[in-house]
Every structure is written in C-alpha cells, then in structure tokens.
C-alpha cells in the first residue's frame, strides 16, 4: 500500500477513539467477521493502526474505500471541528423541485468543471441531510485526502454547513453549490460552532418554540425553588413575571448548545466628565463576545433571575464581572 | 409608608422567623434551605429583594424576629439597595434585631471604600457584621450557623439573653484609623 494511503489510515485512526472503533468498522462493512475479531481493542492505537493497514492491504482496499470510513465516522460524530453556516439566496423558479439525483449530478459536474483534480463523495443521511466530502487537488497534484472539506445540506432549505474550507476553495464551492441548487447567490450566515447539531437546530428552528398565546397560563407550578412551606417569598410576583418573560423569549425546553456569540457594536462614548471623548464625531466600533458552555441556557437563567446588566472591566478579554439591575 | 414593626404581632411557640433581604436573590435561597433544617425550633424564612414589603402579604406574614441584609461587596447596587431598605424598618429593629451579612469580601475587585462604608453603616446602627462565603456548601453551613445563633436570641428562645444584650457584644465597630490609607 502506498504511503499516502497509509497516512490516511493513520490519520483516521488517530481521530477515531478506541471505543468507537468497533461500531465504525462494523458500519463500514469492508472487513470480514474474522478480520474484525482479530482487531484486539486492548492493544495500543499504534498497534491497531498497523493491524488495520495490514487488513486493508489484504483486502486490496483503495482510497475511495478508506474515505468511506472517514465519512461514516464524521457523520456519526459531527460535533467536532468548526462548522460555518452559509445561506443560499434568491432561488430560481425551479429551486424547490431540485431532488437528490439531480443535485448530486449537477454538483459533481460543476465542481469537476471548476477544479480539474477533485474527489467528491456524496451521501444522503437518514435525516434528509446530504453529506458531501471534497478532497481538493489542483493542476499539479492529486486530491489531498488528508484535508477534506465536509459540506452538509438539507435539500429545499437554503442552509449549508461547511467545515475545513480554505479561502481559496470557498469561491469554488460556492459556485458549485449555487448552480446545483438553482439559486443565484450564497452568503455567510454568521453562525459558526463546534456542534453541528446545535447550529443546525438553531438555523432550521428545530427547538422548542414559544408561540404567543392570548391567555398565558399562570406559572405558579413552574417555580420549584420554593417548595418548603417554611420559606416564603415576599415579592413572588416579579420573580414569576421574569420567569415568564424568559420563557417567552427562550422557550421552556432544551436550547441548542451555542458556545459563543460575537456582536459588532457601534456606540458613542457617554461620560459627562470627559468632554473630548464625548465630542468625537465618529462612533466607537467594538466587538462584544459572549462565551459560555451553553450560552442560550445561561442567558435564559440570567433573564429569569433578574441579572440583566453587564459591566465590562479590563481585567482580561471580554466581560469579567457583572452587576445587577432590578428589573421591575 | 409601610414600615416593618418588630412587636406588632404575637410570637409563635418555639418559632423563630427571619427575613433575608438580598437585591440579587441568590445567596438567600441556599441560606433559606439550610436554615429550615434546624431542629431545635421551627424556623420560618421570608425572602425579599428589598423593603418595603408588599402590603398584600401583611396578614399572612408572621412576626419577624431578625432582619438580615445580605450585601454582595462586588456590587454597588447591592449596597445601595440594602441602604435604601433600612428606612422601612421601625427603629425598634435596631435594638439587636438587624444584622448585616456580606459576601465576596476577599474578592480583589472590591474597592476598599465599599467595605469601609458597610462597616461604618453597621457600626452606626449598632448591628453585627458577618462575613460569609457563598460559593461552597461549607460556606453556606457556616453562615447559617452564625445567623441561627443570632436568630435564636432575637426570637427569645435563649434563656437569660436578649437581642439587645447580644448586640452590645457583637455589634460592628469601626477602627479609629479607618479613613487612613491602607496597605494596598
């Protein structure tokens, strides 16, 4: 087996944790029962890699088979790497009727027109998502399978999620996507994250949504913090109102797990004692970043407990302390 | 102006009632959960964000034996809210039925003037000043124990001791050099 294929297997094995190995290899289906059993999972990764290389040589597997394995692993574990969202704009009249085979053929032919040496693999997942793996080459070299780009697109939606795409490859991919989905343009949707499932749920609104109702039900049963009869709240109504407002904004169920939100802010300086700064013509341009393990959940918690005031100090990058503002 | 009065209602048998006032409504919840665990007497906890208390609760509210103001030293708003709430207490409370509890005293972001201001306030009102650590369960337990000692006296559950007597021993004092610059 040539070195590039060996390197591909080594890279794959370093990505796949040992506990996922059996299931992933099983799904791949290119190993016989005997060969699968012969992979002793108590050995070190290095030993397992050598074993896998030997088995692949035995089965005379080629690059296209190996990339299948990578794709299977990534599809089952999509919450790694950095995913970026794009949105297709201005659909043509027949954009709604683009179906799978047509999309596949069109995408492959467009990308091959744009890039001579490219390897494209497309797979439709059970949840209606089309997964595309692209290994890019150029006029002088074969496709590089060690740095593939993954694209996820749900047909008939304008959203495309992409990972591992360089600036050079971006216009080529954009062109191929726009033409094969019958739209006129594609733009950056400004939503990126490690968890594909979270950004996908957010974009496609697959979270528990709140619909405005005319007669909202009283939330007395939603306040589990005061269960002890010996504890009485004096100002229970504002707390219940805040909880109600938080639920109206964020919904009552599980929220997609976002890690950070970055906002661009243009603001004017406001301090009566500093005339030179307040009299500046141009506004100040800043970037505000909110970061958390689960950003939307933290914000919902802040809203329901009345903490809606953030103070920025210069201890470090970003907000590092907060004070409270009574919310009436 | 609805002022809270310490002796306008009858006390309960073997009962101690405490009002925890905290503008951030954080620490008071964990304190309340720990306070009601007390077995020697029935402890009722009322939680409020600030004073004055709503009039509609006037009927159901028991006689409050101790009012504890919880001030988060990292927040100026917390201090101001507590200070503003003081005027809604009948002066009778300041004979040993009020105490101040501060959190985050060790936080480097706290300006020393704020802690000094809290100390001066507590000293001028002849109230004890307790320091608490609210982030760990041990800290909550310690704070609860100290509040309970004062509460039991204020509720009259400790023989031979009154709230006024205890406060004369435990009240906050301000060192004479408090306005001198400190070693920072």
């Amino acid at each position: 087996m040539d070195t590039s294929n060996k390197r591909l297997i080594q890279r794959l094995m370093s990505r796949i944790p040992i506990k996922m190995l059996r299931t992933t290899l099983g799904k791949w289906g290119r190993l016989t029962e005997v060969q699968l059993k012969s992979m002793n999972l108590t050995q070190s990764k290095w030993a397992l890699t050598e074993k896998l290389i030997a088995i692949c040589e035995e089965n005379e597997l080629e690059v296209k088979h190996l990339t299948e394995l990578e794709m299977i692993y990534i599809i089952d574990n999509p919450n790694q790497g950095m995913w970026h969202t794009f949105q297709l704009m201005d659909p043509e009249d027949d954009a709604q009727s683009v179906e799978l085979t047509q999309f596949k053929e069109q995408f492959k032919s467009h990308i091959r027109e744009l890039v001579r040496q490219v390897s494209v693999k497309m797979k439709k997942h059970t949840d209606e998502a089309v997964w595309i793996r692209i290994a890019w080459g150029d006029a002088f070299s074969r496709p590089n399978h060690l740095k593939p780009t993954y694209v996820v697109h749900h047909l008939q939606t304008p959203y495309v999620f992409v990972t591992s795409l360089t600036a050079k490859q971006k216009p080529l991919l954009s062109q191929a996507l726009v033409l094969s989905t019958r739209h006129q343009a594609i733009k950056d949707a400004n939503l990126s994250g490690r968890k594909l499932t979270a950004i996908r749920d957010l974009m496609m609104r697959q979270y528990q949504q709140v619909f405005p109702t005319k007669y909202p039900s009283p939330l007395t049963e939603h306040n589990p913090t005061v269960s002890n009869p010996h504890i009485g709240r004096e100002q229970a109504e504002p707390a219940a109102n805040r909880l109600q407002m938080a639920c109206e904004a964020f919904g009552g169920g599980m929220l997609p797990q976002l890690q950070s939100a970055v906002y661009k802010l243009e603001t004017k300086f406001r301090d009566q004692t500093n005339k030179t700064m307040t009299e500046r013509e141009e506004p100040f341009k800043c970037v505000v970043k909110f970061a958390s393990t689960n950003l939307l959940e933290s914000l919902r918690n802040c809203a329901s407990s009345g903490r809606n005031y953030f103070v920025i100090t210069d201890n470090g990058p970003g907000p590092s302390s907060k004070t409270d503002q009574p919310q009436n | 102006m609805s002022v809270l009065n310490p002796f306008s209602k009858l006390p309960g048998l073997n009962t101690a009632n405490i009002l925890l006032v905290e503008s951030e409504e954080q620490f008071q919840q964990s304190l309340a959960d720990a306070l009601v665990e007390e077995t020697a007497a029935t402890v009722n906890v009322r939680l409020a964000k600030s004073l004055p208390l709503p009039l509609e609760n006037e009927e159901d509210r028991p006689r409050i034996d101790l009012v504890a103001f919880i001030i988060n030293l990292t927040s100026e708003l917390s201090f101001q809210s507590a200070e503003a709430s003081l005027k809604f207490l009948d002066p009778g409370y300041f004979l040993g039925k009020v105490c101040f509890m501060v959190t985050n005293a060790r936080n480097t972001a706290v300006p020393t003037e704020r802690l000094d201001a809290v100390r001066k306030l507590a000293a001028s009102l002849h109230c004890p000043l307790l320091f608490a650590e609210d982030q760990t369960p041990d800290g909550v337990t310690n704070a609860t124990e100290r509040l309970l000692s004062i509460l039991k006296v204020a509720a009259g559950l400790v023989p031979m001791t009154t709230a006024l007597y205890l406060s004369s021993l435990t009240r906050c004092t301000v060192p004479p050099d408090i306005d001198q610059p400190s070693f920072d």
Side-chain angles (χ1 to χ4, degrees):
Chain A
M1 181 179 279
D2 61 6
T3 34
S4 63
N5 286 2
K6 277 196 187 147
R7 270 224 297 216
L8 182 56
I9 298 181
Q10 280 161 353
R11 192 162 172 279
L12 273 176
M13 286 297 283
S14 69
R15 275 182 100 162
I16 305 178
I18 294 193
K19 52 185 182 329
M20 308 271 345
L21 205 52
R22 194 165 286 280
T23 28
T24 317
L25 288 174
K27 278 193 184 157
W28 189 32
R30 299 240 170 230
L31 267 53
T32 63
E33 276 298 319
V34 173
Q35 287 169 331
L36 252 179
K37 285 214 176 72
S38 73
M39 299 269 291
N40 182 357
L41 294 179
T42 55
Q43 286 183 312
S44 70
K45 261 294 183 66
W46 185 88
L48 283 169
T49 312
E50 294 291 307
K51 189 86 182 63
L52 188 58
I53 293 177
I55 296 178
C56 293
E57 279 172 349
E58 202 182 297
N59 293 1
E60 291 180 10
L61 294 179
E62 301 167 6
V63 164
K64 62 178 183 205
H65 305 126
L66 301 174
T67 53
E68 257 172 27
L69 178 60
E70 185 188 83
M71 207 156 171
I72 289 170
Y73 175 67
I74 303 275
I75 293 179
D76 282 342
N77 301 279
N79 294 334
Q80 298 167 23
M82 190 55 90
W83 290 89
H84 304 277
T85 319
F86 294 95
Q87 187 167 350
L88 296 157
M89 313 285 292
D90 307 322
E92 307 271 1
D93 295 330
D94 54 351
Q96 291 298 320
S97 62
V98 170
E99 48 82 46
L100 186 62
T101 10
Q102 177 190 354
F103 173 63
K104 275 175 148 172
E105 279 168 13
Q106 290 279 307
F107 184 81
K108 282 187 183 169
S109 76
H110 283 301
I111 200 111
R112 288 202 174 113
E113 267 175 33
L114 292 165
V115 188
R116 288 268 157 242
Q117 293 267 22
V118 69
S119 162
V120 180
K121 216 181 201 57
M122 298 177 75
K123 188 167 190 261
K124 176 154 162 324
H125 196 45
T126 43
D127 69 349
E128 302 304 312
V130 182
W131 282 74
I132 309 175
R133 179 185 186 280
I134 307 171
W136 307 84
D138 57 25
F140 310 107
S141 56
R142 310 274 322 278
N144 182 357
H145 284 282
L146 295 174
K147 295 197 171 132
T149 301
Y150 276 91
V151 179
V152 180
H153 175 52
H154 290 252
L155 289 174
Q156 274 94 44
T157 68
Y159 305 113
V160 182
F161 307 97
V162 183
T163 184
S164 314
L165 185 70
T166 67
K168 277 214 180 102
Q169 298 157 353
K170 189 165 161 189
L172 306 168
L173 178 63
S174 308
Q175 174 93 325
L177 278 171
V178 162
L179 291 172
S180 52
T181 55
R182 307 290 292 141
H183 283 75
Q184 286 181 25
I186 187 168
K187 71 164 184 154
D188 202 342
N190 282 324
L191 183 63
S192 309
R194 293 222 128 79
K195 293 193 175 269
L196 174 64
T197 41
I199 56 178
R200 187 200 58 205
D201 287 345
L202 201 62
M203 287 311 268
M204 312 225 295
R205 310 244 187 275
Q206 281 168 343
Y207 47 84
Q208 193 184 68
Q209 302 193 48
V210 187
F211 298 98
T213 59
K214 190 162 176 181
Y215 301 106
S217 60
L219 265 184
T220 42
E221 67 272 13
H222 276 241
N223 208 347
T225 47
V226 190
S227 49
N228 196 313
H230 291 287
I231 303 177
R233 298 198 88 98
E234 288 287 341
Q235 289 129 346
E237 210 191 277
N241 284 347
R242 284 200 301 259
L243 186 58
Q244 169 84 343
M245 280 203 300
C247 282
E248 275 170 19
F250 291 97
M254 273 212 359
L255 292 164
Q257 275 193 343
L258 284 191
Q259 271 82 44
S260 81
V262 179
Y263 289 89
K264 294 200 183 123
L265 175 67
E266 256 188 40
T267 182
K268 298 209 68 131
F269 196 88
R270 261 188 253 165
D271 182 1
Q272 302 303 337
T273 55
N274 195 336
K275 281 289 175 214
T276 28
M277 291 301 254
T278 26
E279 280 165 9
R280 263 175 75 110
E281 286 287 320
E282 322 85 51
F284 280 91
K285 292 193 175 139
C286 356
V287 169
V288 182
K289 179 173 174 180
F290 293 88
S292 159
T293 41
N294 189 339
L295 189 61
L296 294 175
E297 189 61 56
S298 320
L299 287 174
R300 177 166 67 179
N301 200 286
C302 275
S304 63
S305 55
R307 287 178 297 218
N308 61 348
Y309 191 88
F310 291 89
V311 169
I312 300 173
T313 59
D314 37 46
N315 286 354
S320 59
S321 81
K322 50 182 165 66
T323 56
D324 297 342
Q325 177 115 17
Q327 188 177 359
N328 293 322
Chain B
M1 205 160 74
S2 61
V3 163
L4 195 62
N5 203 298
F7 297 115
S8 56
K9 297 185 182 182
L10 292 174
L13 197 60
N14 204 29
T15 308
N17 305 314
I18 182 171
L19 172 67
L20 297 175
V21 183
E22 184 191 4
S23 85
E24 300 187 331
E25 297 183 297
Q26 275 293 100
F27 190 27
Q28 59 181 199
Q29 188 55 56
S30 29
L31 274 178
D33 292 332
L35 282 165
V36 296
E37 303 276 310
E38 174 65 18
T39 47
T42 311
V43 177
N44 292 315
V45 184
R46 306 289 290 186
L47 303 175
K49 196 178 160 88
S50 61
L51 296 171
L53 300 179
L55 278 172
E56 49 268 17
N57 296 346
E58 184 69 36
E59 295 288 310
D60 306 324
R61 192 184 306 133
R63 180 175 102 153
I64 302 289
D65 298 308
L66 178 67
V67 180
F69 288 94
I70 299 171
I71 298 177
N72 179 354
L73 282 176
T74 55
S75 156
E76 182 66 26
L77 205 64
S78 179
F79 174 49
Q80 285 170 353
S81 166
E83 216 180 0
S85 301
L86 289 169
K87 53 172 97 63
F88 295 97
L89 280 180
D90 182 277
Y93 268 107
F94 294 101
L95 300 172
K97 287 175 176 288
V98 173
C99 76
F100 290 89
M101 179 172 270
V102 296
T103 58
N104 290 319
R106 286 183 287 197
N107 193 317
T108 48
V110 170
T112 40
E113 301 80 45
R114 200 173 293 153
L115 177 54
D116 286 347
V118 176
R119 289 179 85 172
K120 284 183 187 167
L121 180 66
S124 68
L125 296 169
H126 301 287
C127 299
L129 178 61
L130 303 174
F131 290 84
E133 193 267 284
D134 59 337
Q135 302 292 328
T136 63
D138 276 343
V140 173
T141 315
N142 289 337
T144 309
E145 276 168 29
R146 295 159 80 201
L147 271 181
L148 274 171
S149 339
I150 305 180
L151 175 62
K152 283 183 196 165
V153 172
L157 299 175
V158 179
M160 312 298 279
T161 315
T162 63
L164 186 54
Y165 179 56
L166 183 64
S167 75
S168 67
L169 300 173
T170 58
R171 62 178 222 194
C172 180
T173 51
V174 161
D177 61 350
I178 193 168
D179 288 320
Q180 304 294 322
S182 57
F183 295 101
D184 265 345

